[in-house]
Amino acid sequence: MSTLSDPPAESFQLSQLLNDTRYRSYTFQFIALILLILAMAWLGYNLAQNLAAAGLNISYEFLGEPAGYDINQRLIEYDSQSTHWRAAIVGVLNTLLVAVLGCFMATVIGVVVGVLRLSKNWLVSKIMAIYVEIFRNVPVLIWILIIMAVFVAILPQPRDFRGDDPAASMVLDLFAFTGRGFYLPRPYFTVEWASGGTGWLVVLAVLVGSFFGARALAKWATATQEATGQRPTTWYFTLGIWFVPLAFVLLVMGLAWDIPALKGFNFQGGIFMRNSLIALTFALAIYTAAFIAENVRAGILAISKGQTEAAASLGLRPNRIMNLVILPQALRVIIPPLISQYLNLTKNSSLAIAVGYMDLTGTLGGITLNQTGRAIEAVLLLMLFYLTISLSISFIMNIYNNSVKLKER
Amino acid sequence: MKTTLMLGAMTVAGLAAGAAAAATLDDVKARGKLNCGVTTGLVGFAAPDADGEWQGFDVGVCRAVAAAVLGDASAVEFVPTTGKTRFTALASGEIDLLARNTTWTFSRDVDLKFEFVGINYYDGQGFMVPKELGVSSAKELDGATVCIQTGTTTELNLADFFRTNNISYEPVPIETNAEAQPLYLEGACDVYTTDASGLAATRAAFENPGDHVVLPEIISKEPLGPLVRHGDNDWGDIARWTLNALIAAEELGVTSANIDELAAGTNNPEINRLLGTEGTLGEMLGLDAQWAVRAIKAGGNYGELFEKNIGENTPIGLARGLNAQWTDGGLLYSPPFR
Ligand SMILES: N[C@@H](CCC(=O)N[C@@H](CS)C(=O)NCC(=O)O)C(=O)O
C-alpha cells in the first residue's frame, strides 16, 4: 500500500555512480582498491617471473636444515647442528631480551630526567635539558658504536688480569668488569631436588606469596586506620613477610654462589653479561630515554596549575601532590607516546649487528640469509617476526593504557 | 604497514629484475665502466692507496677485465662489499664481477646461482694469536674468544673445527676486516681467524707484526676466485679467459716488459693465438684481437701481479706455494688457448 508521502521509487542509473554524492566516494574507493590490487599483483607476478628466470624459487625448506654456525648468546639450547629455525628463535629471544631491558631502563631514566627537567633548580634543569638535546639529536647507531668502542677501550681485558702483577683485578674478588663484558657471581642451589629450574620456581612462588601477604597486611592496616583513625606501624611485619620465608627456602635449598674466575682465555663461571648486550641496551636506553623524558615533561605540563594549587590548599605536601594528583593524570598523556617509544626501541635494536650482538636481524636476517641465499624468504619472515613483536607490545601497552585512561561514567 | 610491504615487494622485485638481465657485456660497454665488487679494504688484495687509487691482487683482476673489454684498465668503478653484502650486490646487478677473496663452494655455485670463473688464489683458513698467549696449536684454543667476519665460509669452518675437536669457543661476529682489527689488538678477542692470506695481509698492517703468530693449522680449503652471475655465459667466458690469459702468460713467459715485442709475432703459435696475431680467439669472445694483450699489460701477468701485491718482497710476504704454476709444482693450470 502506498501513500502520497512515499518518495518516488528509486530508479538507479549508472551515471549516479559519478554524479550522486552518495555513491561517488564509494566509486572512487573501489577504483583505488582495484588499482592497488592490480599494482600488487603486477609486482608479485614480476617477482615470480624474475625468480623463475633466475632459476630461483620461494621455499622455506632451509629452515629445517642445520644452521652450521655458532651463536655466542643463547637463551635456549643451541649449537651449530641446530636448525636455521632454531637460530631464528635464539635471535628472537635475544631481541626480546634487549627490548625488555632497554624499555625498562629507558623508562626509569626518562621519567627521572623528565621530572628533573622541570625542577626549580636551574643547574639540574639545564643539565637535563642538555642531556635530552644531545641524546635525541645524534643518531642511535652512532651512540651504539661510541659506547661499544669506549667500553672495549676503557675496561681491562682478561689478559690484564693475568700474571704475577696484573694490571687489573676483580672487584671484591666477586665481580670482573672486562672489555668483553661483566662477570658476576651466579647463585645456585646445592640441594639435589632444587638444583634444576625447580629451585627458582620455589623462590618465585615464595615471592608471590609474600607479595599477597604484604598486600593483605596493608589492607588490614588501612582498615584499622579507617576504623580507629590510627594507622598501626607495620613496616617490620612487612619486612618480615618479604624476607623470612625467602631466607628460609634459600637456606633449605642450600644457596651457594658460583664466583667467576680466570681460567684459560676467559673468566669462567658466574653470570656473563656480554659487552655487546650491555653496550646495545645502554645505548638504546639512554637514546630512547631522551624522548621519554620529553613525553613525561609534556604530560606533567599538561596538567593545569590550578590542580597543584588546589591540592596545596588541601594541605598536601609537594611530593604527595606529584604522586597523588599530578602523575595519575599526567600518565594519560604520557602512555600513548610511550608506546611508540617502546616500539621504536624494539625496532632500533635491529642495529645490534653493529656491535656483534646476535639478535633476530643478526641470525635470521644476517647469517642465515647469507649462508642460504634465501633473501626474500628470510626478509619476509623477519618482517613477520618484527610485526608480531611490535603488535604484541602495542597490545599489552594498550591494555595498560585503557586501565589508566579517563573513565567516563 | 601497507606501504612498507609494498616497498619491500618493490625492492625484491627490482632485485630479481636486475638478476634476470642478460648481456652484461653490452651493459658494460654502454656504461663505459666495469662495476667490480671488491673488499672494503684488505691491503694487498684490494685497498685504496694514499692517492685513493685501488690497488691489489683482486683489483688486478678487475683491471685486467676492464682492459680486455673496454681498452682502459682504469675504467673500473670499485664497489666495496662486505662478506654479507657481496652476493646481493652481484645478484642484483649492482656489480658485473665480484673479485673479493671469495671461496668457491658448492652452494654458492649451485644454490646461490653464481658462476666462479676460476681460482686466483688457493687458500685455507688459519688462526692468528698474540705471541704472549703462548699458544702453539689451534687445538689449545679451548674457551677462547674468536673474532670472525660474518657471512663467510670462515664462520662455518670455525663451528665445524671446534665441534670436531670437542672444544668450545665464544664467537664475536664482525662485518669487516677493519672493524676486527681494533677488537683483536685491544684484546676483546683472543684469536682472529680468516683465510691465511687475509691473516698475513692483516698482520702486515699491524704496528708490530712480530707480536702475532699465525698458527700452523690450516683447517679448510679456500679456493678464492672471481665470480659472475649465473645465466650470462658469454660474460662468464670473458672473465674466465681473462684470468686464464694472465695465468697462461706467466707460463708462456709473456710479461708486461716483453709483451710489445712478442705481440709483433713470435714463432710460438700458442703465444701468437693468445696475443691475437694468429687465429680469432678474441672475436669468439665478442672482443677484438688485442684483448689479452691489454689485459696482461694492465698489471702484468699472474706472477707479476702476485709479486707486486702480495709476494715475498712485499710486507705481506706470501710465498707462491700452491699458487705456483703447475710446471713449478703448484696448482695453477690454464687450459690451452686454442
Ligand atoms: N673466503 C671466505 C672469507 C672471505 C673474507 O671475508 N675475507 C676477509 C679477510 S681474508 C676479507 O676479505 N675482508 C675484507 C673486508 O672486510 O672487506 C669467504 O669467501 O667466505
Side-chain angles (χ1 to χ4, degrees), chain A residues 47 55 68 70 72 81 152 157 159 180 266 274 367 370-371 373 376, chain B residues 12 84 112-113 143 145 152 155 159 163 169-171 185-188 190:
Chain A
L47 174 66
D70 283 302
N72 47 18
Q81 292 309 106
V152 172
Q157 297 295 346
R159 66 177 178 209
R180 287 181 193 171
N266 280 316
R274 235 165 234 91
I367 305 184
N370 237 280
Q371 301 291 5
I376 294 166
Chain B
V12 165
K84 267 172 84 172
L112 299 193
K113 309 274 183 231
T145 303
T152 61
E155 65 194 342
R163 195 182 167 78
Y169 72 108
E170 152 100 15
L185 288 175
E186 275 159 15
D190 301 302

PDB file of all heavy atoms in Angstrom, chain A residues 47 55 68 70 72 81 152 157 159 180 266 274 367 370-371 373 376, chain B residues 12 84 112-113 143 145 152 155 159 163 169-171 185-188 190:
ATOM      1  N   LEU A  47      57.853 -10.470  -9.718  1.00  0.00           N
ATOM      2  CA  LEU A  47      58.776 -11.163  -8.825  1.00  0.00           C
ATOM      3  C   LEU A  47      58.861 -12.633  -9.204  1.00  0.00           C
ATOM      4  O   LEU A  47      59.944 -13.187  -9.381  1.00  0.00           O
ATOM      5  CB  LEU A  47      58.295 -11.003  -7.379  1.00  0.00           C
ATOM      6  CG  LEU A  47      59.060 -11.770  -6.325  1.00  0.00           C
ATOM      7  CD1 LEU A  47      60.472 -11.234  -6.227  1.00  0.00           C
ATOM      8  CD2 LEU A  47      58.373 -11.653  -4.977  1.00  0.00           C
ATOM      9  N   GLY A  55      66.075 -18.845 -12.115  1.00  0.00           N
ATOM     10  CA  GLY A  55      66.160 -20.224 -11.644  1.00  0.00           C
ATOM     11  C   GLY A  55      65.981 -20.358 -10.147  1.00  0.00           C
ATOM     12  O   GLY A  55      66.411 -21.332  -9.549  1.00  0.00           O
ATOM     13  N   GLY A  68      74.702 -24.570  10.986  1.00  0.00           N
ATOM     14  CA  GLY A  68      76.132 -24.647  10.701  1.00  0.00           C
ATOM     15  C   GLY A  68      76.977 -23.572  11.352  1.00  0.00           C
ATOM     16  O   GLY A  68      78.184 -23.635  11.294  1.00  0.00           O
ATOM     17  N   ASP A  70      77.707 -20.891  14.868  1.00  0.00           N
ATOM     18  CA  ASP A  70      77.508 -20.785  16.310  1.00  0.00           C
ATOM     19  C   ASP A  70      77.022 -19.395  16.675  1.00  0.00           C
ATOM     20  O   ASP A  70      77.300 -18.427  15.983  1.00  0.00           O
ATOM     21  CB  ASP A  70      78.819 -21.080  17.042  1.00  0.00           C
ATOM     22  CG  ASP A  70      79.106 -22.564  17.089  1.00  0.00           C
ATOM     23  OD1 ASP A  70      78.268 -23.300  17.608  1.00  0.00           O
ATOM     24  OD2 ASP A  70      80.169 -22.978  16.569  1.00  0.00           O
ATOM     25  N   ASN A  72      76.914 -16.716  19.997  1.00  0.00           N
ATOM     26  CA  ASN A  72      77.534 -16.617  21.326  1.00  0.00           C
ATOM     27  C   ASN A  72      76.514 -16.527  22.452  1.00  0.00           C
ATOM     28  O   ASN A  72      76.656 -17.168  23.475  1.00  0.00           O
ATOM     29  CB  ASN A  72      78.541 -15.457  21.386  1.00  0.00           C
ATOM     30  CG  ASN A  72      77.995 -14.179  20.795  1.00  0.00           C
ATOM     31  OD1 ASN A  72      76.793 -14.019  20.641  1.00  0.00           O
ATOM     32  ND2 ASN A  72      78.880 -13.270  20.460  1.00  0.00           N
ATOM     33  N   GLN A  81      74.709 -27.540  14.999  1.00  0.00           N
ATOM     34  CA  GLN A  81      73.923 -28.546  14.285  1.00  0.00           C
ATOM     35  C   GLN A  81      72.420 -28.274  14.365  1.00  0.00           C
ATOM     36  O   GLN A  81      71.632 -28.970  13.742  1.00  0.00           O
ATOM     37  CB  GLN A  81      74.209 -29.952  14.837  1.00  0.00           C
ATOM     38  CG  GLN A  81      75.608 -30.455  14.558  1.00  0.00           C
ATOM     39  CD  GLN A  81      75.972 -30.332  13.093  1.00  0.00           C
ATOM     40  OE1 GLN A  81      76.743 -29.469  12.698  1.00  0.00           O
ATOM     41  NE2 GLN A  81      75.393 -31.199  12.259  1.00  0.00           N
ATOM     42  N   VAL A 152      85.052  -1.164  25.134  1.00  0.00           N
ATOM     43  CA  VAL A 152      86.164  -2.070  24.833  1.00  0.00           C
ATOM     44  C   VAL A 152      87.507  -1.411  25.155  1.00  0.00           C
ATOM     45  O   VAL A 152      88.434  -2.054  25.647  1.00  0.00           O
ATOM     46  CB  VAL A 152      86.112  -2.500  23.351  1.00  0.00           C
ATOM     47  CG1 VAL A 152      87.357  -3.274  22.970  1.00  0.00           C
ATOM     48  CG2 VAL A 152      84.884  -3.339  23.099  1.00  0.00           C
ATOM     49  N   GLN A 157      91.058  -5.978  29.638  1.00  0.00           N
ATOM     50  CA  GLN A 157      90.718  -7.257  29.016  1.00  0.00           C
ATOM     51  C   GLN A 157      91.180  -8.379  29.936  1.00  0.00           C
ATOM     52  O   GLN A 157      92.032  -8.157  30.800  1.00  0.00           O
ATOM     53  CB  GLN A 157      91.406  -7.366  27.657  1.00  0.00           C
ATOM     54  CG  GLN A 157      90.955  -6.316  26.664  1.00  0.00           C
ATOM     55  CD  GLN A 157      89.500  -6.446  26.270  1.00  0.00           C
ATOM     56  OE1 GLN A 157      88.873  -7.471  26.531  1.00  0.00           O
ATOM     57  NE2 GLN A 157      88.956  -5.405  25.675  1.00  0.00           N
ATOM     58  N   ARG A 159      93.318 -10.501  29.630  1.00  0.00           N
ATOM     59  CA  ARG A 159      94.776 -10.663  29.695  1.00  0.00           C
ATOM     60  C   ARG A 159      95.400  -9.744  30.746  1.00  0.00           C
ATOM     61  O   ARG A 159      96.476 -10.018  31.258  1.00  0.00           O
ATOM     62  CB  ARG A 159      95.403 -10.412  28.324  1.00  0.00           C
ATOM     63  CG  ARG A 159      95.252  -8.972  27.845  1.00  0.00           C
ATOM     64  CD  ARG A 159      95.959  -8.753  26.518  1.00  0.00           C
ATOM     65  NE  ARG A 159      95.736  -7.378  26.074  1.00  0.00           N
ATOM     66  CZ  ARG A 159      95.707  -6.993  24.804  1.00  0.00           C
ATOM     67  NH1 ARG A 159      95.894  -7.875  23.854  1.00  0.00           N
ATOM     68  NH2 ARG A 159      95.500  -5.736  24.478  1.00  0.00           N
ATOM     69  N   ARG A 180      85.287  -7.425  27.612  1.00  0.00           N
ATOM     70  CA  ARG A 180      84.458  -8.427  26.940  1.00  0.00           C
ATOM     71  C   ARG A 180      83.084  -8.525  27.570  1.00  0.00           C
ATOM     72  O   ARG A 180      82.202  -9.203  27.051  1.00  0.00           O
ATOM     73  CB  ARG A 180      85.115  -9.798  27.013  1.00  0.00           C
ATOM     74  CG  ARG A 180      86.301  -9.902  26.097  1.00  0.00           C
ATOM     75  CD  ARG A 180      86.937 -11.243  26.148  1.00  0.00           C
ATOM     76  NE  ARG A 180      88.230 -11.166  25.482  1.00  0.00           N
ATOM     77  CZ  ARG A 180      89.119 -12.135  25.503  1.00  0.00           C
ATOM     78  NH1 ARG A 180      88.875 -13.252  26.164  1.00  0.00           N
ATOM     79  NH2 ARG A 180      90.261 -11.994  24.893  1.00  0.00           N
ATOM     80  N   ASN A 266      89.507 -16.985  29.247  1.00  0.00           N
ATOM     81  CA  ASN A 266      88.437 -16.122  29.720  1.00  0.00           C
ATOM     82  C   ASN A 266      88.137 -16.395  31.177  1.00  0.00           C
ATOM     83  O   ASN A 266      88.595 -17.383  31.746  1.00  0.00           O
ATOM     84  CB  ASN A 266      87.165 -16.392  28.914  1.00  0.00           C
ATOM     85  CG  ASN A 266      87.177 -15.696  27.580  1.00  0.00           C
ATOM     86  OD1 ASN A 266      87.547 -14.535  27.501  1.00  0.00           O
ATOM     87  ND2 ASN A 266      86.794 -16.418  26.544  1.00  0.00           N
ATOM     88  N   ARG A 274      77.530 -10.043  28.202  1.00  0.00           N
ATOM     89  CA  ARG A 274      78.411  -9.694  27.094  1.00  0.00           C
ATOM     90  C   ARG A 274      78.503  -8.199  26.847  1.00  0.00           C
ATOM     91  O   ARG A 274      77.509  -7.483  27.015  1.00  0.00           O
ATOM     92  CB  ARG A 274      77.855 -10.364  25.842  1.00  0.00           C
ATOM     93  CG  ARG A 274      78.831 -11.211  25.140  1.00  0.00           C
ATOM     94  CD  ARG A 274      78.142 -12.107  24.146  1.00  0.00           C
ATOM     95  NE  ARG A 274      78.555 -13.464  24.444  1.00  0.00           N
ATOM     96  CZ  ARG A 274      77.936 -14.260  25.249  1.00  0.00           C
ATOM     97  NH1 ARG A 274      76.829 -13.868  25.828  1.00  0.00           N
ATOM     98  NH2 ARG A 274      78.389 -15.451  25.491  1.00  0.00           N
ATOM     99  N   ILE A 367      73.190 -14.030   9.166  1.00  0.00           N
ATOM    100  CA  ILE A 367      73.965 -15.198   8.767  1.00  0.00           C
ATOM    101  C   ILE A 367      73.113 -16.201   7.991  1.00  0.00           C
ATOM    102  O   ILE A 367      73.535 -16.686   6.945  1.00  0.00           O
ATOM    103  CB  ILE A 367      74.613 -15.846  10.005  1.00  0.00           C
ATOM    104  CG1 ILE A 367      75.435 -14.798  10.759  1.00  0.00           C
ATOM    105  CG2 ILE A 367      75.501 -16.996   9.586  1.00  0.00           C
ATOM    106  CD1 ILE A 367      76.196 -15.328  11.931  1.00  0.00           C
ATOM    107  N   ASN A 370      72.475 -15.001   4.558  1.00  0.00           N
ATOM    108  CA  ASN A 370      73.682 -15.021   3.766  1.00  0.00           C
ATOM    109  C   ASN A 370      74.131 -16.396   3.357  1.00  0.00           C
ATOM    110  O   ASN A 370      74.558 -16.625   2.240  1.00  0.00           O
ATOM    111  CB  ASN A 370      74.778 -14.423   4.621  1.00  0.00           C
ATOM    112  CG  ASN A 370      75.373 -13.285   3.917  1.00  0.00           C
ATOM    113  OD1 ASN A 370      76.197 -13.507   3.049  1.00  0.00           O
ATOM    114  ND2 ASN A 370      74.920 -12.101   4.217  1.00  0.00           N
ATOM    115  N   GLN A 371      74.066 -17.310   4.330  1.00  0.00           N
ATOM    116  CA  GLN A 371      74.593 -18.645   4.038  1.00  0.00           C
ATOM    117  C   GLN A 371      73.641 -19.441   3.163  1.00  0.00           C
ATOM    118  O   GLN A 371      74.071 -20.324   2.433  1.00  0.00           O
ATOM    119  CB  GLN A 371      74.895 -19.418   5.326  1.00  0.00           C
ATOM    120  CG  GLN A 371      75.900 -18.727   6.240  1.00  0.00           C
ATOM    121  CD  GLN A 371      77.315 -18.690   5.668  1.00  0.00           C
ATOM    122  OE1 GLN A 371      77.564 -19.104   4.548  1.00  0.00           O
ATOM    123  NE2 GLN A 371      78.255 -18.186   6.450  1.00  0.00           N
ATOM    124  N   GLY A 373      71.305 -17.845   1.106  1.00  0.00           N
ATOM    125  CA  GLY A 373      70.967 -17.053  -0.066  1.00  0.00           C
ATOM    126  C   GLY A 373      69.469 -16.859  -0.233  1.00  0.00           C
ATOM    127  O   GLY A 373      69.014 -16.373  -1.264  1.00  0.00           O
ATOM    128  N   ILE A 376      64.654 -13.339  -0.010  1.00  0.00           N
ATOM    129  CA  ILE A 376      63.249 -12.946   0.028  1.00  0.00           C
ATOM    130  C   ILE A 376      62.530 -13.652   1.172  1.00  0.00           C
ATOM    131  O   ILE A 376      61.815 -13.036   1.962  1.00  0.00           O
ATOM    132  CB  ILE A 376      62.588 -13.261  -1.322  1.00  0.00           C
ATOM    133  CG1 ILE A 376      63.216 -12.360  -2.375  1.00  0.00           C
ATOM    134  CG2 ILE A 376      61.097 -13.064  -1.254  1.00  0.00           C
ATOM    135  CD1 ILE A 376      62.931 -12.774  -3.781  1.00  0.00           C
TER     136      ILE A 376
ATOM    137  N   VAL B  12      62.304  -6.111  -3.716  1.00  0.00           N
ATOM    138  CA  VAL B  12      62.562  -7.505  -4.042  1.00  0.00           C
ATOM    139  C   VAL B  12      62.370  -7.735  -5.528  1.00  0.00           C
ATOM    140  O   VAL B  12      63.192  -8.350  -6.204  1.00  0.00           O
ATOM    141  CB  VAL B  12      61.627  -8.397  -3.206  1.00  0.00           C
ATOM    142  CG1 VAL B  12      61.593  -9.783  -3.772  1.00  0.00           C
ATOM    143  CG2 VAL B  12      62.087  -8.407  -1.776  1.00  0.00           C
ATOM    144  N   LYS B  84      78.846  -9.898   3.882  1.00  0.00           N
ATOM    145  CA  LYS B  84      77.401 -10.030   3.855  1.00  0.00           C
ATOM    146  C   LYS B  84      76.769  -9.443   2.605  1.00  0.00           C
ATOM    147  O   LYS B  84      75.780  -9.960   2.119  1.00  0.00           O
ATOM    148  CB  LYS B  84      76.798  -9.312   5.066  1.00  0.00           C
ATOM    149  CG  LYS B  84      76.597 -10.206   6.253  1.00  0.00           C
ATOM    150  CD  LYS B  84      76.194  -9.376   7.445  1.00  0.00           C
ATOM    151  CE  LYS B  84      74.708  -9.101   7.443  1.00  0.00           C
ATOM    152  NZ  LYS B  84      74.303  -8.450   8.696  1.00  0.00           N
ATOM    153  N   LEU B 112      73.145 -20.522  -4.829  1.00  0.00           N
ATOM    154  CA  LEU B 112      73.061 -19.069  -4.950  1.00  0.00           C
ATOM    155  C   LEU B 112      73.115 -18.624  -6.407  1.00  0.00           C
ATOM    156  O   LEU B 112      72.979 -17.457  -6.713  1.00  0.00           O
ATOM    157  CB  LEU B 112      74.191 -18.387  -4.172  1.00  0.00           C
ATOM    158  CG  LEU B 112      74.274 -18.612  -2.669  1.00  0.00           C
ATOM    159  CD1 LEU B 112      75.242 -17.625  -2.046  1.00  0.00           C
ATOM    160  CD2 LEU B 112      72.925 -18.462  -2.027  1.00  0.00           C
ATOM    161  N   LYS B 113      73.352 -19.561  -7.312  1.00  0.00           N
ATOM    162  CA  LYS B 113      73.345 -19.286  -8.755  1.00  0.00           C
ATOM    163  C   LYS B 113      74.412 -18.279  -9.180  1.00  0.00           C
ATOM    164  O   LYS B 113      74.117 -17.233  -9.747  1.00  0.00           O
ATOM    165  CB  LYS B 113      71.962 -18.763  -9.194  1.00  0.00           C
ATOM    166  CG  LYS B 113      70.810 -19.621  -8.743  1.00  0.00           C
ATOM    167  CD  LYS B 113      70.572 -20.743  -9.733  1.00  0.00           C
ATOM    168  CE  LYS B 113      69.368 -21.562  -9.309  1.00  0.00           C
ATOM    169  NZ  LYS B 113      69.641 -22.984  -9.256  1.00  0.00           N
ATOM    170  N   GLY B 143      87.898 -22.510  24.865  1.00  0.00           N
ATOM    171  CA  GLY B 143      87.394 -21.406  25.676  1.00  0.00           C
ATOM    172  C   GLY B 143      87.777 -20.029  25.163  1.00  0.00           C
ATOM    173  O   GLY B 143      87.438 -19.021  25.779  1.00  0.00           O
ATOM    174  N   THR B 145      87.980 -16.570  22.898  1.00  0.00           N
ATOM    175  CA  THR B 145      87.049 -15.682  22.204  1.00  0.00           C
ATOM    176  C   THR B 145      87.619 -15.409  20.823  1.00  0.00           C
ATOM    177  O   THR B 145      88.765 -14.998  20.695  1.00  0.00           O
ATOM    178  CB  THR B 145      86.909 -14.367  22.980  1.00  0.00           C
ATOM    179  OG1 THR B 145      86.484 -14.665  24.301  1.00  0.00           O
ATOM    180  CG2 THR B 145      85.899 -13.454  22.327  1.00  0.00           C
ATOM    181  N   THR B 152      80.655 -15.383   5.945  1.00  0.00           N
ATOM    182  CA  THR B 152      81.778 -16.007   5.253  1.00  0.00           C
ATOM    183  C   THR B 152      81.766 -17.515   5.482  1.00  0.00           C
ATOM    184  O   THR B 152      81.049 -18.021   6.340  1.00  0.00           O
ATOM    185  CB  THR B 152      83.113 -15.479   5.801  1.00  0.00           C
ATOM    186  OG1 THR B 152      83.185 -15.810   7.185  1.00  0.00           O
ATOM    187  CG2 THR B 152      83.218 -13.989   5.646  1.00  0.00           C
ATOM    188  N   GLU B 155      83.031 -18.618   9.248  1.00  0.00           N
ATOM    189  CA  GLU B 155      82.264 -18.908  10.449  1.00  0.00           C
ATOM    190  C   GLU B 155      81.734 -20.344  10.456  1.00  0.00           C
ATOM    191  O   GLU B 155      81.567 -20.933  11.517  1.00  0.00           O
ATOM    192  CB  GLU B 155      81.162 -17.884  10.673  1.00  0.00           C
ATOM    193  CG  GLU B 155      80.078 -17.847   9.641  1.00  0.00           C
ATOM    194  CD  GLU B 155      79.218 -16.580   9.764  1.00  0.00           C
ATOM    195  OE1 GLU B 155      79.251 -15.935  10.817  1.00  0.00           O
ATOM    196  OE2 GLU B 155      78.517 -16.252   8.805  1.00  0.00           O
ATOM    197  N   ALA B 159      82.926 -23.296  13.252  1.00  0.00           N
ATOM    198  CA  ALA B 159      81.982 -24.099  14.030  1.00  0.00           C
ATOM    199  C   ALA B 159      82.330 -25.579  13.882  1.00  0.00           C
ATOM    200  O   ALA B 159      82.371 -26.330  14.860  1.00  0.00           O
ATOM    201  CB  ALA B 159      80.554 -23.830  13.564  1.00  0.00           C
ATOM    202  N   ARG B 163      83.805 -28.086  16.837  1.00  0.00           N
ATOM    203  CA  ARG B 163      82.910 -29.188  17.136  1.00  0.00           C
ATOM    204  C   ARG B 163      83.645 -30.527  17.012  1.00  0.00           C
ATOM    205  O   ARG B 163      83.573 -31.358  17.904  1.00  0.00           O
ATOM    206  CB  ARG B 163      81.729 -29.145  16.172  1.00  0.00           C
ATOM    207  CG  ARG B 163      80.586 -29.992  16.601  1.00  0.00           C
ATOM    208  CD  ARG B 163      79.463 -29.945  15.587  1.00  0.00           C
ATOM    209  NE  ARG B 163      78.536 -31.006  15.904  1.00  0.00           N
ATOM    210  CZ  ARG B 163      77.650 -30.917  16.879  1.00  0.00           C
ATOM    211  NH1 ARG B 163      77.538 -29.824  17.592  1.00  0.00           N
ATOM    212  NH2 ARG B 163      76.854 -31.942  17.135  1.00  0.00           N
ATOM    213  N   TYR B 169      84.261 -22.341  22.202  1.00  0.00           N
ATOM    214  CA  TYR B 169      84.769 -21.013  21.912  1.00  0.00           C
ATOM    215  C   TYR B 169      83.620 -20.038  21.974  1.00  0.00           C
ATOM    216  O   TYR B 169      82.458 -20.410  22.016  1.00  0.00           O
ATOM    217  CB  TYR B 169      85.427 -20.967  20.534  1.00  0.00           C
ATOM    218  CG  TYR B 169      84.471 -21.047  19.374  1.00  0.00           C
ATOM    219  CD1 TYR B 169      84.203 -19.941  18.587  1.00  0.00           C
ATOM    220  CD2 TYR B 169      83.807 -22.240  19.083  1.00  0.00           C
ATOM    221  CE1 TYR B 169      83.316 -20.011  17.529  1.00  0.00           C
ATOM    222  CE2 TYR B 169      82.916 -22.311  18.029  1.00  0.00           C
ATOM    223  CZ  TYR B 169      82.673 -21.205  17.258  1.00  0.00           C
ATOM    224  OH  TYR B 169      81.787 -21.269  16.220  1.00  0.00           O
ATOM    225  N   GLU B 170      83.977 -18.773  21.966  1.00  0.00           N
ATOM    226  CA  GLU B 170      82.975 -17.711  22.017  1.00  0.00           C
ATOM    227  C   GLU B 170      83.139 -16.874  20.758  1.00  0.00           C
ATOM    228  O   GLU B 170      84.128 -16.168  20.597  1.00  0.00           O
ATOM    229  CB  GLU B 170      83.237 -16.906  23.295  1.00  0.00           C
ATOM    230  CG  GLU B 170      82.821 -15.472  23.288  1.00  0.00           C
ATOM    231  CD  GLU B 170      81.503 -15.246  24.002  1.00  0.00           C
ATOM    232  OE1 GLU B 170      81.073 -16.157  24.739  1.00  0.00           O
ATOM    233  OE2 GLU B 170      80.915 -14.182  23.796  1.00  0.00           O
ATOM    234  N   PRO B 171      82.196 -16.990  19.802  1.00  0.00           N
ATOM    235  CA  PRO B 171      82.357 -16.229  18.561  1.00  0.00           C
ATOM    236  C   PRO B 171      81.969 -14.769  18.735  1.00  0.00           C
ATOM    237  O   PRO B 171      81.006 -14.454  19.422  1.00  0.00           O
ATOM    238  CB  PRO B 171      81.381 -16.919  17.602  1.00  0.00           C
ATOM    239  CG  PRO B 171      80.355 -17.548  18.469  1.00  0.00           C
ATOM    240  CD  PRO B 171      80.981 -17.824  19.802  1.00  0.00           C
ATOM    241  N   LEU B 185      93.319  -6.302  18.454  1.00  0.00           N
ATOM    242  CA  LEU B 185      94.506  -5.676  19.052  1.00  0.00           C
ATOM    243  C   LEU B 185      94.254  -5.239  20.495  1.00  0.00           C
ATOM    244  O   LEU B 185      95.143  -5.311  21.336  1.00  0.00           O
ATOM    245  CB  LEU B 185      94.947  -4.479  18.213  1.00  0.00           C
ATOM    246  CG  LEU B 185      95.586  -4.860  16.875  1.00  0.00           C
ATOM    247  CD1 LEU B 185      95.886  -3.629  16.043  1.00  0.00           C
ATOM    248  CD2 LEU B 185      96.861  -5.673  17.105  1.00  0.00           C
ATOM    249  N   GLU B 186      93.017  -4.783  20.794  1.00  0.00           N
ATOM    250  CA  GLU B 186      92.727  -4.356  22.157  1.00  0.00           C
ATOM    251  C   GLU B 186      92.479  -5.543  23.078  1.00  0.00           C
ATOM    252  O   GLU B 186      92.309  -5.379  24.279  1.00  0.00           O
ATOM    253  CB  GLU B 186      91.523  -3.420  22.167  1.00  0.00           C
ATOM    254  CG  GLU B 186      91.910  -1.984  21.896  1.00  0.00           C
ATOM    255  CD  GLU B 186      90.736  -1.150  21.410  1.00  0.00           C
ATOM    256  OE1 GLU B 186      89.586  -1.599  21.546  1.00  0.00           O
ATOM    257  OE2 GLU B 186      90.984  -0.055  20.893  1.00  0.00           O
ATOM    258  N   GLY B 187      92.403  -6.728  22.493  1.00  0.00           N
ATOM    259  CA  GLY B 187      92.241  -7.911  23.328  1.00  0.00           C
ATOM    260  C   GLY B 187      90.794  -8.289  23.582  1.00  0.00           C
ATOM    261  O   GLY B 187      90.505  -9.123  24.427  1.00  0.00           O
ATOM    262  N   ALA B 188      89.841  -7.674  22.847  1.00  0.00           N
ATOM    263  CA  ALA B 188      88.443  -8.071  23.020  1.00  0.00           C
ATOM    264  C   ALA B 188      88.230  -9.470  22.457  1.00  0.00           C
ATOM    265  O   ALA B 188      87.271 -10.152  22.806  1.00  0.00           O
ATOM    266  CB  ALA B 188      87.510  -7.077  22.352  1.00  0.00           C
ATOM    267  N   ASP B 190      90.672 -13.134  21.602  1.00  0.00           N
ATOM    268  CA  ASP B 190      91.999 -13.736  21.745  1.00  0.00           C
ATOM    269  C   ASP B 190      92.563 -14.112  20.396  1.00  0.00           C
ATOM    270  O   ASP B 190      93.773 -14.126  20.199  1.00  0.00           O
ATOM    271  CB  ASP B 190      91.912 -15.016  22.582  1.00  0.00           C
ATOM    272  CG  ASP B 190      91.348 -14.755  23.951  1.00  0.00           C
ATOM    273  OD1 ASP B 190      91.935 -13.935  24.658  1.00  0.00           O
ATOM    274  OD2 ASP B 190      90.317 -15.351  24.297  1.00  0.00           O
TER     275      ASP B 190
END
